[in-house]
């Protein structure tokens, strides 16, 4: 590797750094918000393309910049459409699913979503909860994380963050609520 | 695919050398290089991983240029953060300001549309922080690294809207 190559690499790294930074800044904070499975993949892809295009700059530099531009553009339009039209939102994102509610595991759902009970327990522990009785609801979110809602908070408030659950989860929650009044 | 003994030994040596170089480069640049404070930091971290992987896999063609590229990226990141700490204008160029999306029991519709965030995503953020309802929430903020911060009511008692000075003008 001679000095000419080194200075070439220097210039290329510098300018692509500035360009990628500019593209990201242009597309906004939302681009990196990890709200569904896809957001995170896009973020990692942009990073991988960036790295690859620097290493193989002789063949891939402009192609790489173009691909990053396209990835960010698609991400921009998909989030734009889904924040404005519910139709696109339901197309791009699954609704969250209720896995556990007021002491009951939903076995069929756990099987369908391929989540063992041990992972539900792990999610509870990660929230700092030690007793299952303290848990009001456990929800599988659209980005693949598991939310745990503590019981004492769900008792005193209405559960208005659960409005966007999928239909079956809503029905199970309703059945369980009805049981308690019997 | 077969791999000769010499090649296997070479690959071990290459991996060790690149590992040591990467540790030295990262250590000399400091912790800040890998912290995820703005939109760009995470992308650069992934790019570093990608450069390292390609360097090791194609060591015959691009070993030293790979290490150099790695060092270049780390240096650029170092310089960018160095400048943004010292000069405000560079800082605001590299980083967007946080945006207030929910405050005082109202959705900040205009900011939500501008940042392309919908109500379901705010609900998801609330659930993830272990709250169950909008009732206990005083503010939700979209941070410049693309995460949503949920602030509960107990923090509201000390904070009034004027205190959110770090929020961009709506």
């Amino acid at each position: 590797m001679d000095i000419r190559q080194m200075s070439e690499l220097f210039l290329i790294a510098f300018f692509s750094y500035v360009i990628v930074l500019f593209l990201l800044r242009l597309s906004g904070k939302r681009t990196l918000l990890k709200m569904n499975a896809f957001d995170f993949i896009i973020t990692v892809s942009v990073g991988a393309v960036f790295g690859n295009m620097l290493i193989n700059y002789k063949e891939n530099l402009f192609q790489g910049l173009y691909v990053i531009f396209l990835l960010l553009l698609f991400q921009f339009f998909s989030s734009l459409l889904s924040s404005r039209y519910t139709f696109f939102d339901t197309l791009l994102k699954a609704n969250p699913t209720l896995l556990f509610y007021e002491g009951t595991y939903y076995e069929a759902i756990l099987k369908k979503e391929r989540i063992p009970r041990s992972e539900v327990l792990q999610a509870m522990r990660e929230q700092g909860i030690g007793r299952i009785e303290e848990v009001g609801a456990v929800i599988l979110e659209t980005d693949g994380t598991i939310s745990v809602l503590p019981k004492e908070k769900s008792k005193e408030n209405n559960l208005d963050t659960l409005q966007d659950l999928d239909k079956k989860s809503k029905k199970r929650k309703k059945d369980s609520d009805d049981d308690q009044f019997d | 695919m077969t791999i000769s003994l010499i090649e296997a030994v070479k690959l071990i040596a290459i991996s060790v050398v690149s590992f040591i170089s990467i540790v030295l480069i990262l250590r000399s640049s400091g912790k800040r290089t890998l912290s995820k404070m703005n939109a760009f930091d995470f992308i650069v971290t992934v790019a570093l991983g990608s450069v390292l992987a390609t360097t090791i896999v194609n060591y015959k063609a691009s070993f030293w240029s790979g290490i150099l590229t790695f060092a270049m990226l780390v240096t650029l990141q170092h310089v960018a953060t160095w400048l943004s700490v010292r000069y405000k204008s560079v800082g605001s160029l590299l980083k967007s300001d946080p945006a207030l999306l929910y405050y005082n029991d109202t959705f900040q519709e205009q900011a939500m549309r501008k940042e392309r965030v919908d109500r379901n995503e705010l609900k998801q953020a609330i659930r993830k922080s272990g709250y169950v309802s909008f009732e206990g929430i005083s503010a939700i903020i979209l941070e410049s690294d693309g995460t949503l911060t949920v602030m509960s009511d107990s923090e509201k008692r000390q904070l009034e809207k004027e205190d959110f000075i770090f929020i961009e003008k709506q």
Side-chain angles (χ1 to χ4, degrees):
Chain A
M1 183 176 233
D2 55 29
I3 197 89
R4 214 184 123 264
Q5 261 180 310
M6 277 173 72
S7 46
E8 209 174 79
L9 194 60
F10 178 84
L11 282 177
I12 281 172
F14 178 74
F15 282 111
S16 23
Y17 183 89
V18 172
I19 292 171
V20 175
L21 183 61
F22 175 73
L23 288 177
L24 267 176
R25 206 50 188 76
L26 207 65
S27 80
K29 295 183 273 292
R30 172 63 178 81
T31 304
L32 298 177
L33 182 61
K34 188 172 153 286
M35 272 304 171
N36 60 53
F38 203 60
D39 289 338
F40 187 60
I41 305 254
I42 294 285
T43 310
V44 172
S45 304
V46 170
V49 171
F50 185 31
N52 242 305
M53 118 198 158
L54 289 182
I55 281 274
N56 298 326
Y57 67 90
K58 273 179 194 138
E59 294 106 49
N60 292 347
L61 184 66
F62 289 103
Q63 227 174 358
L65 282 175
Y66 185 55
V67 170
I68 291 177
F69 172 73
L70 287 182
L71 282 174
L72 293 178
L73 192 73
F74 291 148
Q75 186 69 336
F76 181 89
F77 279 112
S78 73
S79 59
L80 186 78
L81 289 174
S82 70
S83 71
R84 276 171 178 61
Y85 307 102
T86 341
F87 168 74
F88 282 99
D89 198 35
T90 47
L91 197 76
L92 291 172
K93 267 197 299 205
N95 282 332
T97 308
L98 198 58
L99 301 177
F100 173 97
Y101 186 68
E102 303 275 340
T104 325
Y105 289 96
Y106 296 117
E107 290 294 348
I109 304 302
L110 287 173
K111 276 207 191 80
K112 192 184 147 234
E113 304 286 355
R114 307 187 305 283
I115 297 171
R117 279 189 184 205
S118 61
E119 287 176 9
V120 177
L121 292 175
Q122 179 180 340
M124 292 177 188
R125 288 197 301 274
E126 281 170 2
Q127 273 288 328
I129 294 177
R131 280 154 48 90
I132 295 181
E133 292 85 69
E134 291 169 33
V135 176
V138 177
I139 291 140
L140 179 64
E141 302 288 356
T142 47
D143 67 346
T145 55
I146 298 180
S147 301
V148 177
L149 311 188
K151 198 181 230 166
E152 89 272 16
K153 283 184 188 153
S154 29
K155 274 272 146 58
E156 62 196 50
N157 294 309
N158 59 351
L159 291 154
D160 57 5
T161 64
L162 295 185
Q163 283 158 5
D164 60 333
L165 285 177
D166 56 27
K167 282 195 189 101
K168 283 179 188 161
S169 297
K170 268 187 186 155
K171 187 176 173 302
R172 284 196 304 277
K173 179 176 170 297
K174 194 173 165 297
D175 291 345
S176 165
D177 286 340
D178 292 345
D179 285 347
Q180 288 178 353
F181 291 108
D182 291 344
Chain B
M1 202 193 98
T2 55
I3 181 164
S4 71
L5 190 63
I6 299 175
E7 264 180 284
V9 173
K10 239 183 184 172
L11 207 52
I12 293 175
I14 290 285
S15 304
V16 170
V17 172
S18 35
F19 184 82
I20 294 172
S21 330
I22 265 70
V23 170
L24 286 179
I25 292 170
L26 285 178
R27 281 295 275 127
S28 63
S29 146
K31 291 184 275 296
R32 174 62 181 81
T33 302
L34 296 181
S35 77
K36 183 174 159 287
M37 291 308 279
N38 64 54
F40 200 50
D41 291 335
F42 182 65
I43 301 265
V44 170
T45 307
V46 174
L48 286 174
S50 159
V51 168
L52 178 61
T54 316
T55 303
I56 295 177
V57 170
N58 296 330
Y59 68 94
K60 274 176 197 145
S62 60
F63 183 70
W64 288 111
S65 68
I67 299 289
L68 188 68
T69 310
F70 195 98
M72 268 301 302
L73 273 180
V74 171
T75 310
L76 284 168
Q77 219 21 15
H78 193 103
V79 171
T81 44
W82 190 90
L83 285 174
S84 70
V85 176
R86 278 165 184 76
Y87 304 100
K88 250 191 158 175
S89 57
V90 179
S92 55
L93 202 72
L94 292 177
K95 243 198 313 204
S96 50
D97 292 319
L100 191 61
L101 301 182
Y102 179 87
Y103 179 74
N104 229 354
D105 302 329
T106 32
F107 293 100
Q108 310 288 315
E109 294 288 353
Q110 212 183 335
M112 282 170 66
R113 258 201 301 279
K114 191 181 151 242
E115 304 290 350
R116 312 188 305 281
V117 177
D118 62 31
R119 289 185 183 208
N120 287 346
E121 289 168 335
L122 295 188
K123 288 178 198 160
Q124 182 172 336
I126 289 177
R127 289 194 301 261
K128 277 187 185 173
S129 355
Y131 299 103
V132 296
S133 158
F134 279 102
E135 271 171 32
I137 304 303
S138 63
I140 302 177
I141 294 152
L142 179 61
E143 303 288 353
S144 47
D145 67 345
T147 52
L148 285 170
T149 304
V150 176
M151 299 174 106
S152 73
D153 240 343
S154 55
E155 287 150 274
K156 184 181 174 183
R157 279 174 209 121
Q158 297 126 33
L159 288 172
E160 290 305 322
K161 185 153 191 175
E162 295 73 53
D163 295 326
F164 288 98
I165 41 166
F166 51 91
I167 300 292
E168 63 191 312
K169 287 163 207 85
Q170 307 273 338

